[in-house]
Amino acid sequence: MTDFTRFDGRAVNDLRPVRITRGFTTNPAGSVLVEFGDTRVMCTASVSVGVPRFKRDSGEGWLTAEYAMLPSATAERMPREAMRGKVKGRTHEISRLVGRSLRAAVDLRALGENTVNIDCDVLQADGGTRTAAITGAYVALADALAVLKERGVVPGEPLLDPVAAVSVGIIDGVPCLDLPYEEDSRADVDMNVVMTAEGRFVEIQGTGEHAEFSRAELNDLLDLAEGGLYDLIDLQRAALDGALGEAVTLGEWS
Amino acid sequence: MTDFTRFDGRAVNDLRPVRITRGFTTNPAGSVLVEFGDTRVMCTASVSVGVPRFKRDSGEGWLTAEYAMLPSATAERMPREAMRGKVKGRTHEISRLVGRSLRAAVDLRALGENTVNIDCDVLQADGGTRTAAITGAYVALADALAVLKERGVVPGEPLLDPVAAVSVGIIDGVPCLDLPYEEDSRADVDMNVVMTAEGRFVEIQGTGEHAEFSRAELNDLLDLAEGGLYDLIDLQRAALDGALGEAVTLGEWS
Amino acid sequence: MTDFTRFDGRAVNDLRPVRITRGFTTNPAGSVLVEFGDTRVMCTASVSVGVPRFKRDSGEGWLTAEYAMLPSATAERMPREAMRGKVKGRTHEISRLVGRSLRAAVDLRALGENTVNIDCDVLQADGGTRTAAITGAYVALADALAVLKERGVVPGEPLLDPVAAVSVGIIDGVPCLDLPYEEDSRADVDMNVVMTAEGRFVEIQGTGEHAEFSRAELNDLLDLAEGGLYDLIDLQRAALDGALGEAVTLGEWS
Amino acid sequence: MTDFTRFDGRAVNDLRPVRITRGFTTNPAGSVLVEFGDTRVMCTASVSVGVPRFKRDSGEGWLTAEYAMLPSATAERMPREAMRGKVKGRTHEISRLVGRSLRAAVDLRALGENTVNIDCDVLQADGGTRTAAITGAYVALADALAVLKERGVVPGEPLLDPVAAVSVGIIDGVPCLDLPYEEDSRADVDMNVVMTAEGRFVEIQGTGEHAEFSRAELNDLLDLAEGGLYDLIDLQRAALDGALGEAVTLGEWS
Amino acid sequence: MTDFTRFDGRAVNDLRPVRITRGFTTNPAGSVLVEFGDTRVMCTASVSVGVPRFKRDSGEGWLTAEYAMLPSATAERMPREAMRGKVKGRTHEISRLVGRSLRAAVDLRALGENTVNIDCDVLQADGGTRTAAITGAYVALADALAVLKERGVVPGEPLLDPVAAVSVGIIDGVPCLDLPYEEDSRADVDMNVVMTAEGRFVEIQGTGEHAEFSRAELNDLLDLAEGGLYDLIDLQRAALDGALGEAVTLGEWS
Amino acid sequence: MTDFTRFDGRAVNDLRPVRITRGFTTNPAGSVLVEFGDTRVMCTASVSVGVPRFKRDSGEGWLTAEYAMLPSATAERMPREAMRGKVKGRTHEISRLVGRSLRAAVDLRALGENTVNIDCDVLQADGGTRTAAITGAYVALADALAVLKERGVVPGEPLLDPVAAVSVGIIDGVPCLDLPYEEDSRADVDMNVVMTAEGRFVEIQGTGEHAEFSRAELNDLLDLAEGGLYDLIDLQRAALDGALGEAVTLGEWS
């Protein structure tokens, strides 16, 4: 696009190397390790019979999500939220985003009165943890729903087409795809885009804390995001076609 | 736009009647009652000397915001968060949004090492409480900064051009401006747009919980939002040109 | 009584100007704005079917109350209790007082197994917030019970005669009625009196933090309180005889 | 007074047997076990150098108090407040009452910038725990201040004349002194009176939950209370004249 | 054993004077004051019908325990856990230890679906509070179970043989029995041993914070502990053979 | 030892396969993945300048530890402690154990006034999580201290000889080494042993919830533990002699 050089040598429209490993742990029905460069998130999907009160007797299921960072995930250790006795606003906000995004990938009626719990625990953080979480959680969700179907406890086919997420932002006036921490922390504008395989948006969250953005800049950012998201969706599909425990990758891993 | 009829008779690109009353209470430096139809929010701006730790010795000020609903604001009484002992994720999320939005209206360096506390307390809720809160809080902020300037304690002119917010959404396939609760609760897509007087975006948050949205629909929603936001910004300016204690209005109030 | 001059020019046995506005908001069954001078409290009464566990199967209803101050209600902004994660002792204590006082105005058996929730939210504080809250809450309670009766869900007439409250105190040795913050903060003795229309006491709370008080002083304070309370009870009755949305006043409002 | 018979055979103006034991434990500067019949409260006074922030550099000291019930103090075991993670409103309210009452017995200026912590822990509850707590805490306070004086760390004589407390109430229409639980739970009116040795009131808290009370009834209750309080104050003085570890008693102990 | 002299003159294998007083308070079914020297713990056992969820329909009962220190129990007053809003790790840990230890003294099947609540509240702390608590709680438990049997609500004989506890430690290289605070705070190794009357271990917790310990030292410590524990078990039996309200003692009480 | 067959085919004195991977993540100074069979714990050591208040100006450093389980670590998903708003007693207890154990491996004086934070996050739980955590944390600690030494900020050599931990228990009367969940949940006696490379005990915690244990059984359990611990210490040393990112293993990994 431009001859602007990113600090890690990528082009502005390049994703970082991405890796998805299914069957990362054995206990939950779905367990995935997703890596966007140095960002590493363990995404699991557990299933329980029954639904929360507000869905009872609706004939529909529910999906809820919790996102958290291990205290050692960041360069400077963060205090553990359980020890502080309360969850930070940022954590709540991302948990809610992950939940809404993944519900777009489930037919709640076909799920029957079952509940899926998505847990996204960040083992290592280098920017884009929420978008990696959503992208990986779709794969964990698919595995968990497959287990449910095998057991014959869901009335229909609850899994819908893939949902993936990616961050975009404007760095020194240049729109860029998939920001690591070094870029994210000094971006003028920061946007997270969640999209389905059909190219429809589930969520767009754009924030200009250091500078506002014009309609034209918004369009540039969405173009970049769409490009990356189709690649991520292809990788999600490849992971689900592969074998449990095998990793699928995008880009160069050393 | 279309011949679609909204339940309250408005055109799809009409705001509800809006009213801004400055000097609603006397204690904080800025105190505004803002009404978007039946939604009524008390927005105040208090100022204190000094800044939070992460801003200390930066030569810059800070702005922080808290949003809350009175328990009796909704049709069905909601439990009080202070009694539950914790703040809900939704409350945190909106508080953070209000804070980010208003910081776009302050030159933190010109503010000097002072902190502005914005409080938005919803007295009555009928949809769009967060956008009303942002719109009203700008006026309260302006009043509080004027007091600071009079006292001669700020090094420069900290107030920037107006920032306003409005909601848009897709109801039965039709994009609509400024959704009351009745529409909001059944909207397929719901979007909040925060914009400056120059027409640049501070924040865009679009969510498709019941249905996703295309790029074209996104553009229609943004067109609607821009129209309403310029009207709200005019009203903010009229309020600040008027006298304390007088209300300025937009649209028909019975 | 004496030639002692109060800082706002009132006689020692004068109330501040008082105003009661019914129908202040539309959502709860009863919603009242009560003003004692610059003290302004929004009092609402919501009703729900059923009773707390300790009243279950008693054939009686229950009434509970919560009092709170908005953070911007005071000259110096107070931290929000929901953010601190716990309610202050003072808040609990006043909530309990409001609840006990209003229960004296309800025939719990005639209420049937329904629960009334009183919420008193202080929008602006200038002394006497708890007594204003009780006085206003009685009117909100009356409106809420009238709605219940119309719906035909209460077995009898649950509303009893008015209950009102006022503060009295000793300032520089002189007993005074209805103390604003300026007097309250330096009073030697501070007393809150809650009384029914028949002149019987529901609650007397007298405290001498800076100086103790004699039996004779107690009697002087009670005389003053009784005078003010009969006026407040007349005003409550006038408000309930008037139209929803109209304000009734006592004393001079500029 | 009347031929009304109380369930434990006492006359309406009789206190229960009372016992005060100084030096009940050895760690805090003052430690007292106070018994009003079967109500048994351990009252301690600990002293620390320095004062809370709001008193800093005032040249004055401070006194603060905490009241609590052991879970096994009542007939039916109560959940431990520390396990619930929050303190009940009733506990807060009584702690504040004890603190205000005991501050009437201290000359804060003569105390210098030292803080006294009063702890009243109810070992066994049978009505009147808060009044027993105040009565016993005065004796513990006196012992703690004596230790401070010996150490030469207080600038003056901080101990003022005794403060004692007692409950009175109306049972089946008859005013009675010092109510045990059996009477307290069915009293129409319940009042706690805190008084100094000079017969001046520190606090009067009268509540009519089941029935209101007239001015005449109020006077009868205060007459009863005064009688009991002078006896309790004599006992406090006898305890302080006696030896540490010895108990002084009032009335018949079997 | 050696000519090592302990600061209180005891031999290394001597317990402090011990006293057990049954019927210390009247409300719970079992109430015991246990003293190990200056350590004084009130141990109570309350019984309720029904069991926690995880035991429901098991035909078995349950026993749970809570340990706490009064704030004035220690030389320096400790903040009250209920005021901090959370229980310290140490408190949780000891509560769990007391619960496990006492469950070894109950036949849960013979108890039927009833729950015993043990409360151990430390009135005065001088080392060994958890071991005194376990030793005293057995006696309170025995009293409570006797009450249950009298009422005919337990299907069998739930009380098993005595369980007692004692601390041992290595001070300046010398193994010692029953450490008071002065020794405990400087011990190289600290061990708590819980044992049944048959000499079988219920719990061994040995910690070397300042120095590790060898297998030989472990054996010396266990020898010491066993000696003390048999004496404590004899005392528990003597207490239960005696009359309620009478104290039984071991060693010299001044 | 006996012909008793364990459910996974191991001999009673066999450890499960063990694997230690250094450099598992890059952010903290030390980061280790430790696996005992299906139990998988991420152990990290972060270092910060300064010490907690109680160590200030002591010339010594400090080490503190936090243990936690991811909600998806267990077969049945566990609620997240941060969402419950408080940490469970079990979590506190294990965190304290890990801290005490690792402090035995640090010369606090040679560390200078620096603090080491150990975090042990269980990714997958199958029994023995606390012993795996201690064993892995020693290796992470060694890596973190090496980084500190390179930076020249520690006055001496703070790392002491290895500390490792293992569980032992009695299953159906037979003492066994290193219990997975299946055995742990039905063990009569359960013991955790923490030992230094010199064979001295740092901590012994033996609990007989379902049955007590004799002195002879205790000795058998300690014999088993010592055998396993020497093997684990050899593996810790091999890991530290190897390269970062390489795994060292003990036993057969499929």
Side-chain angles (χ1 to χ4, degrees):
Chain A
M1 282 183 165
T2 77
D3 53 22
F4 170 78
T5 310
R6 296 171 77 172
F7 87 109
D8 56 4
R10 275 188 289 150
V12 295
N13 60 344
D14 273 357
L15 292 168
R16 289 177 282 179
V18 179
R19 177 159 46 201
I20 294 176
T21 309
R22 283 166 64 209
F24 181 62
T25 57
T26 57
N27 276 326
S31 170
V32 162
L33 181 73
V34 64
E35 297 164 88
F36 279 33
D38 282 337
T39 286
R40 225 181 284 181
V41 186
M42 174 169 156
C43 305
T44 62
S46 315
V47 185
S48 55
V49 174
V51 283
R53 179 168 310 181
F54 68 94
K55 274 290 183 183
R56 222 163 274 168
D57 300 320
S58 68
E60 296 194 346
W62 189 241
L63 178 149
T64 183
E66 285 176 16
Y67 163 100
M69 275 211 197
L70 295 198
S72 58
T74 45
E76 186 141 340
R77 183 183 183 275
M78 287 182 317
R80 205 174 275 270
E81 294 190 331
M83 297 302 285
R84 298 171 66 232
K86 58 179 173 177
V87 168
K88 289 191 293 186
R90 177 186 179 277
T91 300
H92 264 308
E93 193 171 321
I94 300 179
S95 294
R96 286 157 53 89
L97 170 65
V98 175
R100 285 195 307 270
S101 299
L102 272 295
R103 279 195 290 275
V106 185
D107 179 338
L108 296 177
R109 184 151 297 277
L111 179 58
E113 294 209 357
N114 297 293
T115 296
V116 180
N117 285 283
I118 299 290
D119 285 289
C120 297
D121 286 277
V122 180
L123 305 188
Q124 187 164 285
D126 185 28
T129 58
R130 77 189 74 184
T131 51
I134 292 167
T135 304
Y138 175 79
V139 180
L141 170 66
D143 280 336
L145 294 180
V147 169
L148 271 191
K149 281 195 65 178
E150 268 171 51
R151 286 195 216 138
V153 296
V154 288
E157 168 52 86
L159 186 68
L160 302 182
D161 274 346
V163 163
V166 80
S167 73
V168 284
I170 301 181
I171 321 285
D172 299 337
V174 182
C176 294
L177 176 65
D178 187 19
L179 315 188
Y181 178 75
E182 206 277 338
E183 289 177 356
D184 187 43
S185 58
R186 59 191 190 82
D188 293 323
V189 177
D190 179 26
M191 182 173 295
N192 293 294
V193 183
V194 186
M195 196 182 77
T196 65
E198 298 88 49
R200 292 176 66 83
F201 298 120
V202 177
E203 188 102 16
I204 293 179
Q205 293 195 340
T207 299
E209 183 136 354
H210 301 119
E212 297 80 39
F213 52 106
S214 68
R215 190 79 172 258
E217 288 168 323
L218 170 65
N219 279 314
D220 288 349
L221 289 170
L222 290 174
D223 288 341
L224 274 181
E226 282 178 8
L229 285 163
Y230 285 120
D231 287 346
L232 289 170
I233 288 167
D234 286 345
L235 191 70
Q236 289 172 319
R237 285 181 161 144
L240 288 168
D241 287 344
L244 221 74
E246 250 169 50
V248 297
T249 60
L250 186 72
E252 284 299 300
W253 284 92
S254 52
Chain B
M1 282 183 164
T2 77
D3 53 22
F4 170 77
T5 312
R6 295 171 77 171
F7 89 107
D8 56 4
R10 275 188 290 151
V12 295
N13 60 344
D14 274 357
L15 291 169
R16 290 178 280 179
V18 180
R19 178 159 43 200
I20 296 177
T21 309
R22 283 165 65 209
F24 182 61
T25 56
T26 58
N27 276 326
S31 170
V32 163
L33 180 72
V34 64
E35 297 165 88
F36 278 33
D38 282 337
T39 285
R40 225 182 285 181
V41 186
M42 174 170 158
C43 305
T44 62
S46 316
V47 185
S48 56
V49 175
V51 283
R53 180 168 309 182
F54 69 93
K55 274 289 182 182
R56 222 163 272 169
D57 301 320
S58 67
E60 297 194 345
W62 190 241
L63 179 148
T64 182
E66 285 176 16
Y67 162 100
M69 275 212 197
L70 295 200
S72 58
T74 44
E76 186 141 340
R77 182 183 184 276
M78 287 182 317
R80 206 173 275 269
E81 294 189 332
M83 298 302 286
R84 298 171 65 232
K86 59 178 173 178
V87 169
K88 288 190 295 187
R90 178 185 176 277
T91 299
H92 264 307
E93 192 170 320
I94 299 179
S95 293
R96 287 158 53 90
L97 169 64
V98 175
R100 284 196 308 269
S101 298
L102 272 294
R103 279 195 292 273
V106 186
D107 178 338
L108 296 177
R109 184 151 298 276
L111 179 58
E113 293 208 358
N114 297 293
T115 296
V116 181
N117 284 284
I118 300 290
D119 284 290
C120 297
D121 286 278
V122 180
L123 305 188
Q124 188 163 284
D126 186 29
T129 59
R130 77 189 74 185
T131 52
I134 291 167
T135 303
Y138 175 79
V139 180
L141 170 67
D143 279 337
L145 294 180
V147 169
L148 270 191
K149 281 197 67 178
E150 269 173 48
R151 288 195 214 138
V153 296
V154 289
E157 169 52 87
L159 186 69
L160 301 182
D161 274 345
V163 163
V166 80
S167 73
V168 283
I170 301 181
I171 321 286
D172 299 337
V174 182
C176 295
L177 177 66
D178 188 19
L179 314 188
Y181 178 74
E182 205 278 338
E183 289 178 356
D184 188 43
S185 58
R186 61 191 189 82
D188 292 325
V189 176
D190 179 27
M191 182 172 296
N192 294 294
V193 182
V194 187
M195 196 182 79
T196 65
E198 298 88 49
R200 293 175 65 84
F201 299 120
V202 177
E203 188 100 16
I204 292 177
Q205 293 196 340
T207 299
E209 184 135 356
H210 301 119
E212 296 81 37
F213 52 108
S214 68
R215 191 80 173 256
E217 287 168 324
L218 170 64
N219 279 315
D220 288 349
L221 289 170
L222 291 174
D223 289 340
L224 274 180
E226 283 178 6
L229 286 163
Y230 285 119
D231 287 345
L232 290 170
I233 288 167
D234 286 345
L235 192 68
Q236 289 173 317
R237 285 180 161 146
L240 289 169
D241 288 343
L244 221 76
E246 250 169 51
V248 297
T249 60
L250 186 73
E252 285 297 301
W253 283 92
S254 51
Chain C
M1 282 181 164
T2 78
D3 54 21
F4 170 76
T5 311
R6 295 171 78 171
F7 88 108
D8 56 4
R10 276 188 289 150
V12 295
N13 60 344
D14 274 357
L15 291 169
R16 289 178 282 181
V18 179
R19 178 159 45 201
I20 296 177
T21 310
R22 283 166 64 209
F24 181 62
T25 56
T26 58
N27 275 326
S31 170
V32 163
L33 181 72
V34 64
E35 297 164 89
F36 278 34
D38 282 336
T39 285
R40 227 181 283 179
V41 186
M42 174 170 156
C43 305
T44 61
S46 316
V47 185
S48 56
V49 174
V51 283
R53 179 168 310 181
F54 68 93
K55 274 289 182 182
R56 222 163 274 168
D57 300 320
S58 68
E60 297 194 347
W62 190 242
L63 179 148
T64 183
E66 285 175 16
Y67 162 100
M69 275 211 196
L70 295 199
S72 57
T74 45
E76 186 142 340
R77 181 182 184 277
M78 286 182 316
R80 206 174 275 271
E81 295 189 331
M83 297 303 285
R84 299 171 65 231
K86 58 179 173 177
V87 168
K88 288 191 295 186
R90 178 185 177 277
T91 300
H92 264 308
E93 193 170 321
I94 300 179
S95 294
R96 287 158 53 90
L97 169 65
V98 176
R100 285 195 307 270
S101 298
L102 272 294
R103 279 194 290 274
V106 185
D107 178 339
L108 296 178
R109 183 150 297 277
L111 179 59
E113 294 209 356
N114 297 292
T115 296
V116 180
N117 285 282
I118 300 291
D119 284 289
C120 297
D121 286 277
V122 180
L123 304 187
Q124 188 164 283
D126 185 29
T129 59
R130 79 190 72 184
T131 53
I134 291 167
T135 303
Y138 175 79
V139 180
L141 171 66
D143 279 337
L145 294 180
V147 169
L148 271 191
K149 281 196 65 179
E150 268 171 50
R151 288 197 214 137
V153 297
V154 289
E157 168 52 86
L159 185 69
L160 302 182
D161 274 344
V163 163
V166 81
S167 72
V168 284
I170 301 180
I171 322 287
D172 299 337
V174 182
C176 295
L177 176 66
D178 188 18
L179 315 188
Y181 178 74
E182 205 278 338
E183 290 178 355
D184 187 44
S185 58
R186 60 191 189 83
D188 293 325
V189 176
D190 178 28
M191 182 173 295
N192 294 293
V193 182
V194 187
M195 195 181 79
T196 65
E198 298 87 49
R200 293 175 66 84
F201 299 118
V202 178
E203 188 101 15
I204 292 177
Q205 293 196 340
T207 299
E209 184 135 354
H210 301 119
E212 296 80 38
F213 52 107
S214 67
R215 188 80 173 257
E217 286 168 325
L218 170 64
N219 279 314
D220 288 349
L221 290 170
L222 291 174
D223 289 341
L224 274 180
E226 283 177 7
L229 286 163
Y230 284 121
D231 287 345
L232 289 170
I233 288 167
D234 286 346
L235 192 70
Q236 289 173 319
R237 285 180 161 145
L240 288 168
D241 287 343
L244 221 75
E246 250 169 52
V248 298
T249 59
L250 186 72
E252 284 298 300
W253 283 92
S254 50
Chain D
M1 281 183 166
T2 77
D3 53 22
F4 170 78
T5 310
R6 296 173 77 171
F7 87 108
D8 55 4
R10 276 188 289 151
V12 293
N13 60 345
D14 274 357
L15 292 168
R16 289 178 281 179
V18 179
R19 178 160 43 200
I20 295 177
T21 310
R22 283 167 64 210
F24 182 61
T25 57
T26 58
N27 275 326
S31 170
V32 162
L33 180 72
V34 64
E35 298 163 88
F36 278 34
D38 282 336
T39 286
R40 225 181 284 182
V41 186
M42 174 171 157
C43 306
T44 61
S46 315
V47 185
S48 56
V49 174
V51 283
R53 179 168 309 182
F54 68 93
K55 274 290 182 183
R56 223 163 272 169
D57 300 320
S58 68
E60 296 194 346
W62 190 240
L63 178 149
T64 183
E66 286 175 16
Y67 163 99
M69 273 212 198
L70 295 199
S72 58
T74 45
E76 187 141 338
R77 184 184 183 274
M78 287 183 317
R80 204 174 276 268
E81 294 189 332
M83 297 303 285
R84 299 170 64 231
K86 59 179 174 177
V87 168
K88 288 190 295 186
R90 177 185 179 277
T91 300
H92 265 307
E93 193 170 321
I94 300 179
S95 294
R96 287 158 53 89
L97 170 65
V98 176
R100 285 196 307 271
S101 299
L102 272 295
R103 280 195 290 275
V106 185
D107 178 339
L108 296 177
R109 184 151 296 276
L111 180 58
E113 294 208 358
N114 297 293
T115 296
V116 180
N117 285 282
I118 300 290
D119 284 290
C120 297
D121 286 277
V122 179
L123 305 187
Q124 188 164 285
D126 185 28
T129 59
R130 78 189 73 185
T131 50
I134 291 167
T135 303
Y138 175 79
V139 180
L141 170 67
D143 279 337
L145 294 180
V147 169
L148 271 190
K149 280 197 67 177
E150 268 172 49
R151 288 195 214 138
V153 297
V154 289
E157 168 52 86
L159 186 69
L160 302 182
D161 273 346
V163 163
V166 81
S167 73
V168 283
I170 301 180
I171 321 285
D172 299 337
V174 183
C176 294
L177 176 66
D178 188 18
L179 315 188
Y181 178 75
E182 206 278 339
E183 290 178 356
D184 187 43
S185 58
R186 62 193 188 81
D188 293 323
V189 176
D190 179 26
M191 182 172 294
N192 293 293
V193 182
V194 187
M195 195 181 78
T196 65
E198 298 87 49
R200 292 176 66 83
F201 299 120
V202 177
E203 188 102 15
I204 292 178
Q205 293 196 340
T207 299
E209 184 135 355
H210 301 120
E212 296 81 39
F213 52 107
S214 68
R215 190 81 173 256
E217 288 168 324
L218 170 64
N219 279 314
D220 288 349
L221 290 170
L222 291 174
D223 289 340
L224 274 181
E226 283 177 7
L229 286 163
Y230 285 121
D231 287 346
L232 289 170
I233 288 166
D234 286 346
L235 192 69
Q236 289 173 318
R237 284 179 161 147
L240 289 168
D241 288 344
L244 222 74
E246 250 169 50
V248 297
T249 60
L250 186 72
E252 285 298 302
W253 283 92
S254 51
Chain E
M1 281 180 165
T2 78
D3 53 21
F4 170 77
T5 311
R6 296 172 77 172
F7 88 109
D8 56 4
R10 274 189 290 151
V12 294
N13 60 344
D14 273 356
L15 291 168
R16 289 178 282 178
V18 179
R19 177 159 45 199
I20 294 176
T21 310
R22 284 166 64 208
F24 181 62
T25 57
T26 58
N27 275 326
S31 170
V32 162
L33 181 72
V34 64
E35 297 165 89
F36 278 34
D38 282 336
T39 286
R40 226 182 283 180
V41 186
M42 174 170 155
C43 306
T44 62
S46 314
V47 185
S48 55
V49 174
V51 283
R53 180 168 310 181
F54 69 93
K55 273 291 183 182
R56 224 163 271 169
D57 301 320
S58 68
E60 295 193 347
W62 190 242
L63 179 149
T64 183
E66 287 176 16
Y67 163 100
M69 275 212 196
L70 295 198
S72 58
T74 45
E76 186 140 341
R77 183 184 183 274
M78 286 182 316
R80 205 174 276 269
E81 295 189 331
M83 296 303 285
R84 298 171 66 232
K86 56 180 174 176
V87 169
K88 288 190 293 186
R90 178 185 177 276
T91 300
H92 264 308
E93 192 171 321
I94 299 180
S95 293
R96 286 158 52 90
L97 168 65
V98 175
R100 285 196 306 270
S101 299
L102 271 294
R103 279 194 290 274
V106 185
D107 178 338
L108 296 177
R109 184 151 296 277
L111 179 58
E113 293 208 358
N114 298 293
T115 296
V116 181
N117 284 283
I118 300 290
D119 284 290
C120 298
D121 285 277
V122 179
L123 305 187
Q124 188 164 284
D126 185 29
T129 59
R130 78 190 72 185
T131 51
I134 292 167
T135 303
Y138 175 79
V139 179
L141 171 67
D143 279 337
L145 294 180
V147 169
L148 271 191
K149 283 196 65 177
E150 268 171 49
R151 287 196 215 138
V153 297
V154 290
E157 169 52 88
L159 186 68
L160 302 183
D161 275 345
V163 163
V166 81
S167 73
V168 284
I170 301 181
I171 321 286
D172 299 337
V174 182
C176 294
L177 177 67
D178 187 19
L179 314 188
Y181 177 75
E182 206 276 339
E183 290 178 355
D184 187 42
S185 58
R186 61 191 188 81
D188 293 323
V189 176
D190 179 26
M191 182 172 294
N192 293 293
V193 182
V194 186
M195 195 181 79
T196 66
E198 298 86 50
R200 292 175 66 83
F201 298 120
V202 177
E203 188 101 16
I204 293 177
Q205 294 196 338
T207 299
E209 184 137 352
H210 300 119
E212 296 80 38
F213 52 106
S214 67
R215 190 80 174 256
E217 287 168 324
L218 170 64
N219 279 315
D220 287 350
L221 289 170
L222 291 174
D223 288 342
L224 274 180
E226 284 178 6
L229 286 163
Y230 284 121
D231 287 346
L232 289 170
I233 288 166
D234 285 347
L235 191 69
Q236 289 173 319
R237 285 179 161 147
L240 289 169
D241 287 344
L244 221 74
E246 250 169 51
V248 298
T249 60
L250 186 73
E252 284 299 300
W253 283 91
S254 52
Chain F
M1 281 181 164
T2 77
D3 54 21
F4 171 76
T5 311
R6 295 171 78 172
F7 87 108
D8 56 4
R10 275 188 290 151
V12 296
N13 60 343
D14 274 356
L15 292 168
R16 289 178 282 179
V18 180
R19 177 159 46 200
I20 294 177
T21 310
R22 284 166 65 209
F24 181 61
T25 57
T26 58
N27 275 326
S31 171
V32 162
L33 181 72
V34 64
E35 297 164 88
F36 278 34
D38 282 336
T39 286
R40 224 180 286 182
V41 186
M42 174 170 156
C43 306
T44 62
S46 315
V47 185
S48 56
V49 174
V51 283
R53 178 167 311 182
F54 68 92
K55 273 291 183 182
R56 223 163 272 170
D57 301 320
S58 68
E60 295 194 348
W62 190 242
L63 178 148
T64 183
E66 286 175 16
Y67 162 100
M69 274 213 198
L70 295 198
S72 58
T74 44
E76 186 141 340
R77 184 184 183 274
M78 286 182 317
R80 205 174 276 269
E81 293 189 332
M83 296 303 285
R84 299 171 64 231
K86 58 180 175 177
V87 168
K88 288 190 293 185
R90 178 186 177 276
T91 300
H92 264 308
E93 192 170 322
I94 300 179
S95 293
R96 287 158 54 89
L97 169 65
V98 175
R100 284 195 307 270
S101 299
L102 271 295
R103 279 195 289 276
V106 185
D107 178 339
L108 296 177
R109 184 151 295 277
L111 179 58
E113 293 208 358
N114 298 293
T115 297
V116 180
N117 284 283
I118 300 290
D119 284 290
C120 297
D121 286 277
V122 179
L123 305 188
Q124 187 165 286
D126 185 29
T129 59
R130 77 190 74 186
T131 51
I134 292 167
T135 303
Y138 175 79
V139 179
L141 171 66
D143 279 336
L145 294 179
V147 168
L148 271 191
K149 281 196 67 179
E150 267 171 51
R151 290 197 213 137
V153 297
V154 289
E157 169 51 89
L159 186 69
L160 302 182
D161 274 346
V163 163
V166 80
S167 73
V168 284
I170 300 181
I171 322 285
D172 300 336
V174 182
C176 294
L177 177 66
D178 188 19
L179 315 188
Y181 179 75
E182 205 275 340
E183 289 178 356
D184 188 42
S185 58
R186 60 191 189 82
D188 293 325
V189 177
D190 179 26
M191 182 173 295
N192 293 293
V193 182
V194 187
M195 195 182 79
T196 65
E198 299 87 49
R200 292 174 67 83
F201 298 119
V202 177
E203 188 100 18
I204 293 177
Q205 293 196 341
T207 299
E209 184 136 353
H210 300 119
E212 296 80 39
F213 53 106
S214 67
R215 190 80 174 256
E217 286 168 324
L218 169 64
N219 279 315
D220 288 348
L221 289 170
L222 290 173
D223 289 341
L224 273 180
E226 283 178 6
L229 286 163
Y230 284 120
D231 288 345
L232 289 170
I233 287 166
D234 285 346
L235 191 69
Q236 289 173 317
R237 285 181 160 145
L240 288 168
D241 287 344
L244 221 74
E246 250 169 52
V248 299
T249 59
L250 186 72
E252 285 298 302
W253 283 92
S254 51

